[in-house]
Amino acid sequence: MPRDISAALDLIQELLEGSYRLVRQACDGLSEQQAYWQPAPESNSIGWLVWHTMRRRDYYSAVCHGEAHVWTAGGWAERVGRGADDTGYGDTPEQVRAFRPPFEAVLGYAEACQQAALDRVARLTAEILDREYLLDAGRGMQPGWRTLRPMVNDGVNHAGQIGYVRGMLSGRGWQAY
């Protein structure tokens, strides 16, 4: 029996758009130094969090369609200086500290990912969501609908972390209400 998934896809797009708006707002006007500042040696910087969040968004949204990742297809891996398969998942504190590509490249990648993810979500069907996909990081075979949970959950959680670190840098006034 056909399922109407349009309301669920609308909700997913709203969550992706809302978390991305917060990320862009929190990144507005940051210097390179601020973008890669870490509150503690084992904390993530805003720059790393933006890249990782959008890299995972790119990964999960591409898997269900069998599409090339924006990361590799758009040449972002070379511009940012990470491997084609890197997503930041499992990065050590040393790797996070060493991540310092030009922040404008990270933001450019984020914008490209956001547009691709929204397009990919809009094209999801019940059949695609029910199909099984092999996921990275030891997740094994999972139905497509299950790929949406970490994509949305990580986006919302990491957007909150980005906003929190921005607040540590410049106080509450960075956020336009």
Side-chain angles (χ1 to χ4, degrees):
M1 172 162 73
R3 292 182 286 157
D4 181 12
I5 61 169
S6 62
L9 297 180
D10 288 347
L11 174 61
I12 290 164
Q13 286 193 319
E14 284 290 324
L15 291 168
L16 294 176
E17 289 171 351
S19 64
Y20 184 67
R21 259 191 314 275
L22 177 60
V23 167
R24 287 298 302 181
Q25 186 178 21
C27 292
D28 188 41
L30 284 180
S31 68
E32 293 284 320
Q33 182 180 358
Q34 290 172 316
Y36 295 109
W37 176 76
Q38 294 173 265
E42 295 196 5
S43 298
N44 297 323
S45 68
I46 288 174
W48 185 90
L49 283 165
V50 171
W51 168 73
H52 168 69
T53 301
M54 300 312 288
R55 182 66 187 99
R56 297 306 287 173
R57 186 170 292 186
D58 184 16
Y59 171 82
Y60 285 117
S61 65
V63 162
C64 291
H65 290 291
E67 295 178 357
H69 299 197
V70 171
W71 179 242
T72 50
W76 294 102
E78 292 83 21
R79 281 182 258 183
V80 172
R82 295 281 301 238
D85 294 329
D86 286 349
T87 64
Y89 186 83
D91 273 9
T92 65
E94 293 76 24
Q95 289 171 303
V96 172
R97 239 183 330 278
F99 182 82
R100 291 190 174 262
F103 192 49
E104 284 303 314
V106 172
L107 295 177
Y109 173 62
E111 179 65 28
C113 276
Q114 177 67 6
Q115 295 311 310
L118 292 174
D119 174 65
R120 291 166 179 159
V121 168
R123 293 184 286 118
L124 290 172
T125 64
E127 179 183 81
I128 290 170
L129 293 173
D130 287 340
R131 194 176 304 140
E132 296 269 326
Y133 303 91
L134 180 61
L135 300 180
D136 69 350
R139 288 183 174 91
M141 295 297 287
Q142 300 283 330
W145 62 265
R146 189 160 282 165
T147 68
L148 300 176
R149 182 181 49 80
M151 181 176 71
V152 172
N153 190 47
D154 287 359
V156 170
N157 286 333
H158 288 322
Q161 293 167 350
I162 291 164
Y164 186 78
V165 174
R166 176 63 191 251
M168 292 177 81
L169 285 166
S170 55
R172 189 172 174 194
W174 70 270
Q175 194 172 30
Y177 294 97

